[in-house]
Each structure stands twice: as structure tokens, then as C-alpha cells.
Amino acid sequence: MYNIRNLTISSTHPCLIIYLLDQSGSMGEKFGNASHNKAIELTDAINDVIYEIGLRCIGNSGELKNRFELAIIGYGRNGDNVQSGWEGPLQNKWVVSIKNIFEYPLGQVNDKPIWIRPYAQDSTPMVKAFQNARRLCQDWIDWGNHRDCHPPIVINITDGEATDAGSDFRALKIESEQLKQLSTNYGSVQILNIHISNRTGDRVLFPGEMPTTDDRSARLLFDISTPLTENMVRLAKQKQYNITDNARGYVFNGNATDLINFLNIGTPQ
Amino acid sequence: MRARIFQLHKRSSYVFEAIQDKFAVTEKCQIVALADGATQGFKSEQWASQLVNSFVERPGFDAKDFLEMAHSEAERFRAGPFQYNANPAMASLERTKEKSGATSTFLGVRFSDEGMELISCGDSNVFIFQADQIVGVPFANLDELENNQSFLNTNQILKGIVTPADFFVTAVPLKQDDIVLICSDALSRLLLASPDVLRELIEIKSFEEFLTFCSKYWENKSLQEDDITAIVIVPPVDETILVLPTPDFSFPQEDTPLFTPFFDDSLQNDEAMQEIRSQLFRLEQEINVLKKRSAYQMLLLKLGLAAIAVCVLLGILVCSFPSSVDVKPTTSNRTLPKRSTQMPQAAPATSAPLQQLTNDPSQLSKDSASH
């Protein structure tokens, strides 16, 4: 295993980030005290983080360096199916380089490009989303020199529990364990989970241990989240989160600020 | 004594013109300035150039004086003008980036008979090779360097957010034959992690040797993939030698095809899989039907052939019997009984009817199901 401190994410050594987006019917509910729903909040956050990644990749002469490759997997928009979340010219693409992402935005809103739109429709086939993520990660790691790159990061954003994981969530546990087995020479795939909610209290932010809770889904998502890396801990502390050394990449009942911060913490510098 | 200035751009930049490490030195290296423009900033390499050139003209080893110089340079930088990308999404990025300003680190050194003065903001470092030991200034170890968060951003300078507290200022006495090495961050990290590498570095004379050195440590992952600057000084300096890439040098541009997942996009959900499974099942059923038909047709053919064979055999047998039998006429008055002209009544059925041969698919399906 190489020392990740010596790794620079670059166009010759890119990093893959996979966003799993809950597009189930419950995402149509209001988000906290906002007038808009969770799906819109999520979409805005993802469009913003893609823009932020673009800012990190723009080079001296204004060209974009392909330091990041992004995948968006939407689940719950169409029954028990999952599909690529890219639309427009990028439709049906799974992994897209940051350069291509900025060449083909879906449109512009307030002078900023956007790439995805909000959906809140059916059930929550989270296991299937993780299966897709695992296959993408495996294929990406096996491609070219990607074994010498930063390990992929999977970021799951949901407001509820999986509907295809069985009564004991066994299928999701198995799938996440298989995903964690994948690695590059710089470490294993990282899994981060954020539970967004319309509740206003009891936030759990990057815990080292999960507080006692009756919420089985929260417990599950904590269990399948991987520990924060050194870099993520540093970023989280910079954002004033109270972080312990064994903190996991998990947020429960996160608000809008938590969502944006979570996404930025999950993006390697 | 000589000063050698080595520079090599990172491999992903391909050409030397893209290097973001900028340096400036006075004659005989009495004043040396090194700045590392941050990619995250807006036109940071331009800002880094402004800083080093202005510093060697107006060196200041007091943090306040330095900030005054930096303030006027930041105003000059912000005045632009700048051109933006034709792609609206990219132009949006550039305008946003412009709002956040340009960012660079800075390290300035002045040599005198007393030794060396240093002013620094950022993660570049100076190494002093003194006979039997290596001293790092301002960072003595890797943790100190990693924990440093200072940098010079044009916006923050203009807003007064950067203060003298963000600078490291010191003076270091030097002995005769001390070797001073000024490095940007990637090389500094390597030397702090593996100080012995410095002995190897100070022996390098040519660009080829420097390229070999950097490539070796890039390949074994102990050197970050970043711009590399090493200014090696043995004061007092009589001659300054620049060891830079030749104009025709570039790293090969790897034509790496964009990643494409190996799995088929169409197999990503149950609906598609179910449709295909259904089609396969129907195909399998039709094949079974055809097989059954074929089997029964073969059976019919065999029965027909068997019947023909039986008939042929019977015919042979009949032909092989004697042709006449002697029958004596009688005169008796006995008459032969009359043959009945009525057909005998069929005997009542006492067994199951013969199975019917059919090519009705529904019957075949039932049969195949019963099997």
C-alpha cells in the first residue's frame, strides 16, 4: 500500500466519485423548514458540488484538467430500477470526466451550469444502486493505471430505508461489504452516507459510535459507512465539526448546510 | 562557489511553460525568491511571478513591509484585464474563480556575511546541509509542513485578512561550506520524510540527472506528482547556473481512452432482465414444441415403415403357402349352413381407447408438463 499523502490527484491519476441519489417518492416531502422539497435540495447540492469540483480542476490557461470522474446513480425514479442520473447529451453515460461534464451541461441557472434535475417518484432500491456502484468501481479500478489512483468514493444520499434489502437489510450489508473489499494501491473504496430529513433536531454528525436508536435504517447506514480519511477529518474539523479519530463518513438527520459540507468533505483535495 | 537552479514541471502539465513554481534571483544569488502558484487560484502562476519579481527588486524581511509590497501587487493583479472562455459553463467557472483571487506561497532568502535571512508564507522550505546534519527551516519535520495553512491570496491581502502572523521570519547563521537548498513543497516533503535523499540531490549537475532523480521518486510514489524546484546554493556565489528543461522537452501526452464500464448498460435493472428472461423462456418453449413434433413425426414414420414391413412379410408368407386343397364333392342332402349377412355386433369395450397421436401444441404442452 502506498502512502496516500504522496498522492496528487491529477489528470494522469484521476479520482472516481459515485453519487447514489435517492429519487423515491418520499423525497417529495418538504426539507426541514424550507419551502422546497428534499429532491430539489439534493439536486441543488449535487449541481453545486459538481461546480465546485470544476473550480478545483480549472488550470492556468482556463482548461479543465480531468482530475475527477463522476458517476451519478439515481434510484427510485422508475420503480425498482436504477439508472444513470446524467441527462441531455450525457444521458446513459455512467462515468463522465469533469471536462466532458462541463462541455455538456443540461442548462444554466443564474449564470451557473446545472446537470441534474429533481425527481421524487417510486420506491427505494438502494441495494441495486450499491450493486451498480460496486460494478462501476470494479471496472474503474481495473482500467488503465487506476490501481495507482485514489480509491473511489461512493456517496449515498437518502431520506429513508432500502425497499429491496429484505427485512433484516442483509442484502445491503452484503453488498456494502463487497464494495469495501475493492481497493487501489492507495486504499479501499470509501462509503459515505448522509440521511437527510425533514426533522429539525437530533442530528448525528460523523460519529465514531452510533448513539442508541430505534431507527434500524440509521443504524445500518452507519454500519456500512467507512471511517473518514485523514484528509476528510482535517476538512471536517475546518468546517467546525467535532470529529473523533474513528469518525465514520455518516450524517443522520443532516440539514442543507450539512449536505453541502458532507459533499465537500467527501471530495479529495 | 556556484548556485544551481533546477526546475521540472509536473508530468501532467506536459510542457515547461505550464509550471507554476516561479523564482527570481539577483546577481550572485544574494536575494532569492520562490513562489508556488496554487492551481485552485485564478491565474496563480501570474501572481507568483509578480511576487518573486517584485521581491527581488524591493526585498523586505519584515512581514509588514512585505505585506505592503504584496498589497500593491495584488491591486495591480486585480486590475487585469482578463479574457474568458467561449464555453458559457467554463466562462462561469473562470468568473467565479476570479472572484476568489489568485493564490501562491512565498519564500524569500537573503545571504550576507552573517548568514541567511528568511521570510516565508506557505509550504516551501529551506534545508541547510551542515557537514553531519541536515536542518529544515521553517519546517523541521513533515507534520509541521502539513499543518501549515498559510498562503498569499490576492483577495485576502486586499481585505487585510493576511497578517504578519501568517509569516515566518528568521535569521540563520551559516558556516563555511554549508550548502543551502531552497525547495518548493513536493520536494520539501520528500526531504523531510527521507533526509538522506538530500545527499543525492546536491550531487546532481545536469538536467538529465535531475530528470532521472525526479522520475525515480515519482515512480516509487515517494515524491508528489507536482512541479519541482530545487535551488542549491553554496555561498558566497560567483556563478548562477540554470538547469531547466530544453525548449523541445515535454512529457509524452498519454492518449488514455476515457473509461467505459465493462458491463452492458441495458442490463442494469430487473425490467430489462425480466424481458430477456421471458423471451428466452418463450424461445425454449418453442424449441421444446419443435422437438416434440419432430419426435412424434419420427414415431409416425417408424410406425409407417413398420406397417409396410409387416405387410410385405405377410405378403411373402401368403405367397409361400400351397396354392390348392383337394375337396371331394358330396351328394348328401346336408346343406351347408347359411352365412349370416349381418355384421357381427362389436364386442363391448373392455379396455382403454388407443392414445390419439396429435400435433396439437396444447396437448403437447400438457404432455411435456406431465413429464
Side-chain angles (χ1 to χ4, degrees):
Chain A
M1 192 78 65
Y2 299 141
N3 185 350
I4 202 166
R5 277 186 173 185
N6 291 334
L7 174 65
T8 302
I9 293 173
S10 66
S11 52
T12 54
H13 293 77
C15 175
L16 170 66
I17 303 179
I18 300 176
Y19 299 99
L20 308 183
L21 306 187
D22 187 345
Q23 296 174 323
S24 64
S26 58
M27 293 292 285
E29 296 167 8
K30 288 280 189 286
F31 184 63
N33 294 325
S35 57
H36 53 266
N37 63 30
K38 287 179 267 188
I40 292 173
E41 189 70 39
L42 171 58
T43 301
D44 288 346
I46 294 292
N47 282 323
D48 279 347
V49 82
I50 293 174
Y51 191 79
E52 288 292 320
I53 292 172
L55 284 175
R56 295 189 202 187
C57 294
I58 191 164
N60 302 332
S61 50
E63 84 290 359
L64 272 177
K65 305 279 191 179
N66 274 332
R67 298 191 175 109
F68 290 93
E69 297 178 352
L70 307 184
I72 296 181
I73 299 175
Y75 57 97
R77 176 168 137 197
N78 184 13
D80 285 338
N81 299 326
V82 301
Q83 65 282 317
S84 169
W86 299 112
E87 296 187 62
L90 298 178
Q91 192 174 11
N92 295 327
K93 300 281 183 195
W94 287 99
V95 175
V96 188
S97 68
I98 194 69
K99 199 172 176 180
N100 275 1
I101 288 170
F102 273 82
E103 281 173 353
Y104 301 110
L106 197 56
Q108 297 256 114
V109 174
N110 297 328
D111 195 38
K112 279 176 73 172
I114 62 165
W115 292 273
I116 65 166
R117 290 183 289 196
Y119 293 96
Q121 289 176 338
D122 283 315
S123 54
T124 316
M126 201 184 295
V127 174
K128 205 162 294 174
F130 270 85
Q131 277 174 359
N132 260 31
R134 174 175 56 80
R135 293 169 78 182
L136 270 180
C137 285
Q138 181 68 74
D139 289 354
W140 189 88
I141 289 169
D142 289 340
W143 184 274
N145 71 335
H146 290 173
R147 287 205 176 269
D148 286 334
C149 295
H150 193 286
I153 299 171
V154 178
I155 300 178
N156 179 34
I157 306 130
T158 180
D159 75 330
E161 62 181 54
T163 51
D164 62 345
S167 57
D168 59 352
F169 302 130
R170 182 174 154 76
L172 186 56
K173 289 174 190 170
I174 290 173
E175 203 52 57
S176 65
E177 284 306 313
Q178 289 180 344
L179 186 52
K180 289 177 196 175
Q181 297 302 314
L182 302 178
S183 64
T184 69
N185 290 327
Y186 285 95
S188 301
V189 170
Q190 288 147 23
I191 302 176
L192 287 71
N193 287 281
I194 180 166
H195 240 142
I196 59 175
S197 169
N198 49 7
R199 304 214 297 254
T200 54
D202 301 328
R203 288 155 69 218
V204 178
L205 307 167
F206 305 107
E209 291 175 5
M210 187 63 179
T212 306
T213 176
D214 293 332
D215 191 322
R216 294 186 315 137
S217 181
R219 176 91 234 169
L220 167 71
L221 290 180
F222 169 80
D223 286 342
I224 69 174
S225 300
T226 54
L228 291 179
T229 64
E230 209 177 297
N231 195 42
M232 290 177 184
V233 167
R234 182 171 56 80
L235 289 171
K237 285 179 177 174
Q238 281 177 5
K239 294 186 186 302
Q240 313 300 320
Y241 288 104
N242 187 14
I243 300 293
T244 59
D245 286 341
N246 59 344
R248 299 263 189 117
Y250 175 68
V251 167
F252 174 67
N253 208 17
N255 58 28
T257 305
D258 293 327
L259 178 56
I260 282 287
N261 287 341
F262 187 85
L263 293 172
N264 280 314
I265 288 164
T267 307
Q269 299 291 303
Chain B
M1 293 297 185
R2 282 184 183 146
R4 279 194 172 84
I5 302 177
F6 299 91
Q7 272 202 318
L8 180 62
H9 52 287
K10 53 181 172 266
R11 292 190 284 195
S12 57
S13 293
Y14 306 117
V15 293
F16 183 64
E17 286 71 31
I19 195 168
Q20 292 176 286
D21 282 0
K22 301 296 179 187
F23 72 90
V25 299
T26 55
E27 190 181 354
K28 297 187 180 179
C29 283
Q30 283 170 328
I31 309 281
V32 177
L34 173 63
D36 179 2
T39 303
Q40 290 79 3
F42 178 68
K43 299 199 186 294
S44 295
E45 74 292 349
Q46 179 180 326
W47 170 233
S49 283
Q50 277 186 238
L51 282 172
V52 296
N53 290 327
S54 182
F55 182 80
V56 296
E57 288 176 13
R58 208 172 22 141
F61 289 86
D62 177 84
K64 283 184 184 174
D65 293 340
F66 183 95
L67 276 173
E68 270 185 33
M69 177 274 289
H71 194 279
S72 64
E73 289 301 320
E75 282 178 336
R76 189 160 71 91
F77 175 87
R78 191 169 64 173
F82 305 108
Q83 278 190 325
Y84 304 107
N85 201 297
N87 175 335
M90 289 296 299
S92 173
L93 277 183
E94 287 177 327
R95 281 192 291 272
T96 301
K97 208 167 180 188
E98 184 185 355
K99 291 176 193 170
S100 60
T103 303
S104 177
T105 64
F106 181 84
L107 188 146
V109 170
R110 175 161 61 194
F111 294 96
S112 65
D113 293 335
E114 284 74 39
M116 179 182 80
E117 287 174 276
L118 181 149
I119 182 167
S120 171
C121 180
D123 54 8
S124 296
N125 209 31
V126 175
F127 295 88
I128 303 167
F129 188 54
Q130 295 175 326
D132 58 345
Q133 61 175 347
I134 298 166
V135 176
V137 182
F139 306 112
N141 57 62
L142 197 53
D143 283 337
E144 286 181 8
L145 186 146
E146 296 287 6
N147 289 334
N148 174 268
Q149 299 292 325
S150 300
F151 46 82
L152 296 172
N153 174 271
T154 50
N155 285 1
Q156 291 184 2
I157 288 171
L158 292 171
K159 289 177 186 172
I161 296 173
V162 181
T163 67
D166 293 306
F167 288 83
F168 183 89
V169 181
T170 190
V172 179
L174 294 175
K175 297 176 188 168
Q176 192 175 2
D177 297 332
D178 281 353
I179 299 173
V180 177
L181 182 62
I182 303 170
C183 306
S184 53
D185 64 320
L187 189 54
S188 295
R189 283 191 174 83
L190 172 61
L191 295 177
L192 286 170
S194 307
D196 283 344
V197 173
L198 190 144
R199 297 173 203 274
E200 182 185 347
L201 185 58
I202 59 176
E203 296 300 322
I204 292 173
K205 301 289 187 294
S206 68
F207 172 70
E208 288 70 29
E209 289 171 349
F210 189 61
L211 175 62
T212 302
F213 170 87
C214 293
S215 299
K216 178 176 80 172
Y217 289 103
W218 276 333
E219 286 304 315
N220 73 13
K221 313 299 179 190
S222 53
L223 178 65
Q224 268 186 326
E225 290 277 352
D226 197 357
D227 296 330
I228 308 297
T229 299
I231 302 175
V232 184
I233 297 172
V234 182
V237 172
D238 305 311
E239 181 187 11
T240 303
I241 301 172
L242 296 182
V243 186
L244 307 177
T246 54
D248 59 348
F249 174 82
S250 69
F251 288 111
Q253 291 212 24
E254 295 159 6
D255 186 20
T256 310
L258 288 176
F259 165 69
T260 305
F262 300 140
F263 58 85
D264 184 350
D265 284 353
S266 66
L267 298 178
Q268 294 319 300
N269 55 67
D270 265 354
E271 191 177 301
M273 278 300 291
Q274 281 170 9
E275 178 58 29
I276 289 172
R277 286 195 197 105
S278 298
Q279 289 177 4
L280 283 173
F281 181 67
R282 285 194 290 273
L283 188 61
E284 187 182 5
Q285 279 199 312
E286 286 172 19
I287 289 172
N288 285 338
V289 165
L290 288 172
K291 279 183 182 174
K292 292 291 180 186
R293 282 186 198 173
S294 173
Y296 279 112
Q297 284 167 357
M298 185 60 69
L299 182 61
L300 279 174
L301 182 61
K302 286 179 183 174
L303 285 174
L305 288 173
I308 291 168
V310 166
C311 291
V312 166
L313 280 173
L314 282 173
I316 293 169
L317 283 172
V318 165
C319 290
S320 65
F321 262 102
S323 57
S324 61
V325 177
D326 290 334
V327 178
K328 293 181 179 175
T330 59
T331 57
S332 89
N333 293 324
R334 261 181 21 201
T335 60
L336 288 171
K338 283 186 182 174
R339 276 191 193 178
S340 167
T341 58
Q342 286 184 334
M343 292 295 291
Q345 285 185 352
T350 57
S351 61
L354 285 173
Q355 186 179 17
Q356 279 197 325
L357 297 175
T358 178
N359 59 359
D360 178 3
S362 61
Q363 289 298 315
L364 291 172
S365 293
K366 287 177 189 172
D367 289 337
S368 68
S370 68
H371 289 304

